[in-house]
Amino acid sequence: QVQLVESGGGLVQPGGSLRLSCAASGSIFSIYDMGWYRQAPGKQRELVATITGHGSTNYADSVKGRFTISRDNAKNMVYLQMNSLKPEDTAVYYCNADVRRVGASREDYWGQGTRVAVSS
């Protein structure tokens, strides 16, 4: 089994910053794409940013220039640095990873989510 555990969420004022972390653990053979998604109240889950195993990144237009995704392949971790936060960034943020387990095929895994609230 594979577990993804997010951390780093919280309450921040508009214009502030937060750094989310996600640790993958378990019987991992290889991790391909990793990413962050978010779901605001009453809305569908949406892509925030993704990063390939080689470091190529992709961002939602709404966060370009403000958020930065990175990963540490040696530690099986992915990060999301969020700057210049806006109230509309308020959501539950979920970590996602495309993982090949030892002796198994590739599967998509999700974390339990970490809540980010941007409010004055």
Side-chain angles (χ1 to χ4, degrees):
Q1 192 56 280
V2 173
Q3 296 81 38
L4 300 181
V5 179
E6 303 102 332
S7 61
L11 174 64
V12 63
Q13 292 187 341
S17 298
L18 281 175
R19 187 186 192 222
L20 305 183
S21 300
C22 173
S25 63
S27 56
I28 297 169
F29 178 76
S30 185
I31 302 178
Y32 301 91
D33 291 1
M34 302 185 81
W36 290 94
Y37 292 72
R38 67 186 181 187
Q39 188 166 17
K43 295 188 176 181
Q44 290 188 329
R45 190 173 298 188
E46 63 176 4
L47 180 147
V48 176
T50 60
I51 185 167
T52 69
H54 298 291
S56 296
T57 59
N58 177 56
Y59 295 93
D61 288 343
S62 59
V63 306
K64 281 181 181 176
R66 301 188 297 122
F67 291 10
T68 302
I69 189 171
S70 61
R71 64 190 284 173
D72 184 332
N73 291 332
K75 296 181 179 179
N76 290 337
M77 294 197 68
V78 62
Y79 308 96
L80 186 68
Q81 178 66 44
M82 305 186 293
N83 299 328
S84 303
L85 282 160
K86 304 176 181 180
E88 51 264 43
D89 295 317
T90 296
V92 177
Y93 284 70
Y94 297 90
C95 175
N96 172 265
D98 178 8
V99 179
R100 183 185 297 279
R101 290 188 293 122
V102 175
S105 58
R106 289 168 65 166
E107 292 184 51
D108 220 30
Y109 290 90
W110 293 90
Q112 81 289 347
T114 185
R115 191 173 302 273
V116 172
V118 184
S119 174
S120 54

